[in-house]
Amino acid sequence: ALLRALDQMMGNQVDEEPVKKALAEELPSKPEWMQKSHEELTDEEIKQVKEWELKERSLKEEKEKYRKGLETELKKLRGEIEGQFTYFDTKLQQLFATRLDVEEV
């Protein structure tokens, strides 16, 4: 039960720092030799270009996934806060009504 609670609370990750560091990393700008037309590149250069593009796409996908997760968590927390406001207002109205009833007596 403890591990399940930890998994749920931490999103199956005990430490989020490696994820944050990886997402904070930026790929270096594309080297100038990668700007050449496809016909001018050697086979090795083409392979490097494809690897670089794959890394770029993967990093973008990870950032988008992380951003969406944070947005979902934010919506959830805002909903919980709104629920607490509503609960507090209801209790305050009940207490006010009770006070009025006591003062009338």
Side-chain angles (χ1 to χ4, degrees):
L2 179 62
L3 291 177
R4 188 179 70 221
L6 180 63
D7 285 345
Q8 183 180 11
M9 180 177 68
M10 297 296 291
N12 295 328
Q13 294 180 347
V14 176
D15 187 13
E16 284 191 359
E17 283 303 313
V19 174
K20 290 178 182 177
K21 286 180 183 177
L23 292 174
E25 287 180 12
E26 291 291 330
L27 283 176
S29 60
K30 212 173 194 179
E32 283 197 33
W33 64 265
M34 287 188 182
Q35 307 296 336
K36 296 182 205 174
S37 68
H38 204 64
E39 294 81 24
E40 296 175 4
L41 297 174
T42 65
D43 289 339
E44 183 63 30
E45 290 174 335
I46 291 173
K47 183 179 175 184
Q48 289 177 353
V49 168
K50 287 183 180 180
E51 287 176 6
W52 190 87
E53 289 172 348
L54 181 64
K55 286 180 185 178
E56 180 183 39
R57 196 171 329 131
S58 175
L59 183 61
K60 284 181 181 179
E61 288 172 358
E62 284 296 317
K63 284 184 177 185
E64 184 66 20
K65 180 180 170 185
Y66 188 67
R67 184 185 65 79
K68 286 182 180 181
L70 290 176
E71 284 178 354
T72 301
E73 185 177 355
L74 179 62
K75 287 178 185 177
K76 178 182 145 199
L77 292 173
R78 283 184 175 164
E80 289 176 7
I81 290 170
E82 187 64 35
Q84 291 297 320
F85 281 148
T86 304
Y87 176 77
F88 178 79
D89 289 344
T90 303
K91 281 294 189 183
L92 189 60
Q93 288 174 349
Q94 290 173 352
L95 286 171
F96 183 68
T98 303
R99 177 182 173 196
L100 290 178
D101 289 344
V102 169
E103 287 179 354
E104 285 180 1
V105 175

